[in-house]
Amino acid sequence: MDILQANDYMMAQTHIRLFHRLFYKISLFYATNISKRTRRIIDGVLVFQTCCCLVLLLYVHWAFLNSPGTCLDNYFETWPKDGILQVQINTSDSQFLSFAFDDEGDDGYSTEEQYVMEYSLHYSFLRMDDNLRKNLSIKIENVTLSRTDKCFGNFFSRFLLENLFGYDDMLMSSFKKLATNISNKGYLKNCITGEHYRFIDTWCNKLNYILSFFIMIVLTAVVAMLMRLCHHQLFKFFCKLLFALQNHVLYPVWMPFPIASLLTMFLGLWGLETIMTDLLDDPMVSFHLIAYVWMADNYYTICCHNQLSKKYFPRFFYLCNYLFYAFHLQHKQFSGLALVTTFISTQVCVTIVT
């Protein structure tokens, strides 16, 4: 047992020394081969990207998030409460939307239709196909919105929605406003992606900020510990594999390999992503957030050697991370832009403190 612990300790020290050596080599190459003017240009580009993302995030918060969607205000009293409200956005130049039917008789949407959502107070209605809805005489009110509608804001707002963000968040905001006056908040279906949503009552806004802090602390600590374990296990695996190939050992070398540890690692990562997806309601945000925490933890472990970086980088990282969690849990919209802004801001901090 002492021999195994000694081997693990030596492997960990080798791991640390290897990456420290790589850090010094890359830093020396960057300092000697990249001119000072070029380094300033790179830093200026990062600062400019951060400013652009911050300005864009502030504009999105002012234009889209402060005011609820008004696209469905004319249908508050007329839409069928015992049926389905279907809303689609005409992104083509024509005023009529075409439908396509496959061989099995299921309805499909043409490539020009990119945004179609259905809302109902009964979840079973959203699961039915069109033939079953017709047989049961379920009422369906179709609403077609134009991309030039005033509810999408001014020209610049419509440009951002059409070319950068898409109309999904604006449609969800309009449905959310529709559901606020109903005791049973209802259910929403994205007909293009097949995703289903349920509107629920949220907590008080101030409690969301406190909850965001605790969720950020717990998830960041769990992600950092699990990714360190995974990184170390993969390093051990490849070291043993290279040692086996160097000594021309094939079959017996697989016996002492940490197969159980690798399987536990992958299952842990899968479970962690599932838990974060349930908490954040967005699988892509969860995946990129894990990658962001992993890169920040590696930077702090390997690259932070001076007093300035050790003192201020963790503070700035936790500040940016908390602001993202607070924004996401408060709005649940435009989280991709908030995460990109957080990541680029952390890059600027890295260039300053390194």
Side-chain angles (χ1 to χ4, degrees):
M1 190 67 181
D2 294 336
I3 297 176
L4 293 177
Q5 291 179 353
N7 290 334
D8 290 339
Y9 177 77
M10 291 178 60
M11 191 72 69
Q13 293 299 316
T14 304
H15 183 193
I16 295 174
R17 289 198 301 269
L18 174 63
F19 281 95
H20 281 177
R21 186 65 177 176
L22 289 175
F23 169 69
Y24 285 126
K25 286 286 187 181
I26 295 174
S27 301
L28 184 61
F29 176 82
Y30 181 78
T32 55
N33 294 277
I34 306 299
S35 63
K36 188 175 182 180
R37 181 180 179 183
T38 305
R39 295 199 298 268
R40 288 183 177 177
I41 292 176
I42 295 175
D43 296 342
V45 169
L46 291 176
V47 173
F48 177 75
Q49 288 180 343
T50 304
C51 294
C52 290
C53 289
L54 285 174
V55 170
L56 189 59
L57 189 62
L58 291 174
Y59 179 82
V60 166
H61 188 273
W62 171 77
F64 300 133
L65 299 177
N66 272 348
S67 58
T70 59
C71 298
L72 302 178
D73 286 356
N74 297 330
Y75 303 93
F76 276 12
E77 303 296 335
T78 60
W79 76 279
K81 307 298 188 299
D82 56 346
I84 299 173
L85 176 62
Q86 184 185 86
V87 180
Q88 48 197 354
I89 297 180
N90 185 3
T91 58
S92 62
D93 295 333
S94 61
Q95 297 296 323
F96 300 97
L97 300 177
S98 59
F99 290 88
F101 298 90
D102 56 19
D103 296 335
E104 298 179 357
D106 296 332
D107 294 342
Y109 297 97
S110 63
T111 56
E112 294 180 351
E113 295 179 13
Q114 300 176 359
Y115 307 98
V116 182
M117 289 189 177
E118 293 179 343
Y119 174 76
S120 177
L121 300 180
H122 307 281
Y123 181 66
S124 58
F125 290 176
L126 302 179
R127 304 287 296 181
M128 299 178 183
D129 58 14
D130 286 348
N131 292 330
L132 184 57
R133 292 175 181 176
K134 292 178 181 179
N135 294 335
L136 297 177
S137 301
I138 297 176
K139 298 179 182 179
I140 301 177
E141 182 173 355
N142 295 308
V143 178
T144 301
L145 301 174
S146 174
R147 59 184 178 182
T148 59
D149 198 289
K150 293 182 179 180
C151 67
F152 296 126
N154 54 27
F155 173 78
F156 183 67
S157 298
R158 294 195 300 269
F159 175 81
L160 292 177
L161 291 175
E162 185 173 353
N163 297 280
L164 189 59
F165 301 123
Y167 294 90
D168 290 335
D169 289 328
M170 287 300 297
L171 283 181
M172 291 184 67
S173 178
S174 299
F175 281 112
K176 187 186 299 183
K177 184 179 179 181
L178 181 68
T180 53
N181 299 323
I182 304 174
S183 58
N184 177 18
K185 300 302 180 182
Y187 304 87
L188 184 67
K189 175 185 177 182
N190 191 326
C191 298
I192 303 301
T193 62
E195 296 177 335
H196 292 255
Y197 307 92
R198 180 185 179 185
F199 292 114
I200 58 175
D201 292 323
T202 57
W203 291 5
C204 180
N205 293 338
K206 294 182 179 180
L207 292 179
N208 275 337
Y209 294 115
I210 301 176
L211 180 65
S212 302
F213 177 78
F214 287 104
I215 291 179
M216 182 268 297
I217 292 295
V218 173
L219 290 183
T220 302
V222 172
V223 171
M225 289 188 294
L226 184 58
M227 294 305 294
R228 285 190 183 187
L229 175 63
C230 296
H231 198 184
H232 181 64
Q233 292 295 334
L234 288 176
F235 182 79
K236 289 173 59 178
F237 177 82
F238 285 109
C239 284
K240 290 186 177 182
L241 179 62
L242 293 175
F243 178 79
L245 295 177
Q246 184 179 4
N247 291 274
H248 305 287
V249 181
L250 296 178
Y251 176 75
V253 75
W254 293 99
M255 302 303 294
F257 271 17
I259 302 299
S261 300
L262 292 176
L263 291 177
T264 304
M265 174 191 69
F266 287 117
L267 290 176
L269 286 175
W270 183 32
L272 177 63
E273 187 179 5
T274 303
I275 293 173
M276 293 186 65
T277 301
D278 291 338
L279 288 175
L280 302 177
D281 297 326
D282 195 327
M284 292 302 296
V285 169
S286 302
F287 174 79
H288 288 95
L289 190 60
I290 291 175
Y292 166 67
V293 174
W294 174 69
M295 288 186 289
D297 181 63
N298 279 334
Y299 170 78
Y300 180 75
T301 305
I302 300 172
C303 305
C304 290
H305 298 288
N306 54 52
Q307 191 65 26
L308 182 65
S309 60
K310 288 183 178 180
K311 181 178 180 180
Y312 289 103
F313 176 76
R315 299 180 183 181
F316 190 84
F317 166 75
Y318 279 108
L319 175 62
C320 293
N321 209 14
Y322 168 71
L323 292 177
F324 166 76
Y325 275 96
F327 181 89
H328 177 77
L329 294 178
Q330 182 71 21
H331 301 292
K332 297 292 182 69
Q333 295 176 325
F334 302 101
S335 299
L337 176 61
L339 187 58
V340 170
T341 305
T342 302
F343 179 74
I344 297 179
S345 301
T346 308
Q347 282 185 322
V348 173
C349 176
V350 167
T351 59
I352 294 175
V353 301
T354 302

